[in-house]
Amino acid sequence: MSTAQPIRSAEELTALRRFYLCDEPNIRNYAMICLGVNSALRISDLLNLRWSDVYSFEERHFRKHLVIREGKTGKETRIAINENAADGLGMYMRCKKDIEEGDYIFTGRNKNSHLSRSQAFRIIKHAARLLNMEEGISCHSMRKTFGYYAWKYGTPPAVLMDIYNHSSYEITKRYLGIKQDDKDLVFLNVKL
């Protein structure tokens, strides 16, 4: 089994996001990828989300923040819901009928269950395979991709460590594959 990799290519990330919008339309899967790459949530936490976590039914708009208790760490996490995540969720919400506050966002076979981790894995792997993406793309790639791009755009290491609840920057670098990327750049930029 290979280690999950972040999606490093902006073109591949766009292709993955659009796969379930254009190539094989499935708005639920599209919304899952939009929220997954924009929230840095583990897949188990992502799949456990309910509509009331992201949307205020009383005020009829998406919340500014998603507040959850992480399953793995037990820590409370507060995540800003950005425009891309809200757009994907909004598109999905408009396609669904009879949504209630307590419903899971990413439903499984019936309204009272959420998509399983194995099904989410198959959804990501299917798109990655058909898009000829590198090996190691999985559900965890969405979490790693968020951090990878945050790092590339200049997010301070201490902030990424806090987002991921890592105890050291070395762990965060290894998690995002930054050390290897740094080495790759040296080899790709030195043209003798």
Side-chain angles (χ1 to χ4, degrees):
M1 185 161 130
S2 63
T3 302
Q5 296 297 314
I7 301 164
R8 293 175 177 88
S9 159
E11 293 80 20
E12 285 186 347
L13 180 55
T14 298
L16 180 66
R17 285 187 66 224
R18 295 187 53 79
F19 184 81
Y20 288 111
L21 186 62
C22 302
D23 300 348
E24 288 185 17
N26 184 311
I27 300 301
R28 179 201 61 193
N29 296 350
Y30 170 74
M32 181 182 73
I33 292 169
C34 287
L35 186 57
V37 298
N38 284 289
S39 69
L41 286 171
R42 288 177 185 86
I43 193 65
S44 55
D45 292 327
L46 185 73
L47 297 177
N48 275 309
L49 291 175
R50 297 178 185 269
W51 281 107
S52 59
D53 294 324
V54 298
Y55 189 81
S56 171
F57 285 81
E58 186 177 297
E59 298 171 12
R60 297 182 178 272
H61 64 76
F62 282 97
R63 299 183 185 283
K64 291 182 184 205
H65 290 90
L66 159 65
V67 181
I68 66 159
R69 184 158 306 278
E70 292 182 356
K72 183 176 180 181
T73 65
K75 294 180 181 179
E76 186 174 277
T77 292
R78 183 178 172 93
I79 299 165
I81 299 174
N82 71 21
E83 185 179 339
N84 287 348
D87 287 349
L89 288 168
M91 190 180 298
Y92 179 39
M93 188 178 227
R94 287 186 295 278
C95 292
K96 295 207 34 106
K97 294 181 177 41
D98 303 325
I99 293 177
E100 295 178 22
E101 291 182 54
D103 292 348
Y104 287 109
I105 297 174
F106 306 110
T107 53
R109 292 192 185 270
N110 66 59
K111 188 175 178 175
N112 299 323
S113 69
H114 61 71
L115 196 63
S116 71
R117 288 177 59 182
S118 59
Q119 185 60 24
F121 177 81
R122 285 190 291 272
I123 288 165
I124 300 297
K125 290 300 278 186
H126 173 73
R129 185 178 59 254
L130 292 179
L131 293 170
N132 295 315
M133 296 173 78
E134 73 172 282
E135 287 295 314
I137 301 302
S138 67
C139 293
H140 207 58
S141 296
M142 294 189 294
R143 180 171 162 84
K144 288 186 171 190
T145 297
F146 173 86
Y148 179 80
Y149 281 92
W151 171 73
K152 292 291 266 188
Y153 296 147
T155 301
V159 174
L160 286 174
M161 287 170 50
D162 190 48
I163 287 170
Y164 288 122
N165 291 313
H166 289 162
S167 59
S168 75
Y169 182 54
E170 285 303 313
I171 293 169
T172 303
K173 280 179 25 177
R174 188 173 62 245
Y175 187 81
L176 301 177
I178 292 170
K179 192 174 190 178
Q180 185 60 51
D181 284 352
D182 291 337
K183 290 193 289 188
D184 289 351
L185 281 176
V186 171
F187 288 105
L188 294 172
N189 287 329
V190 174
K191 298 174 183 164
L192 305 173

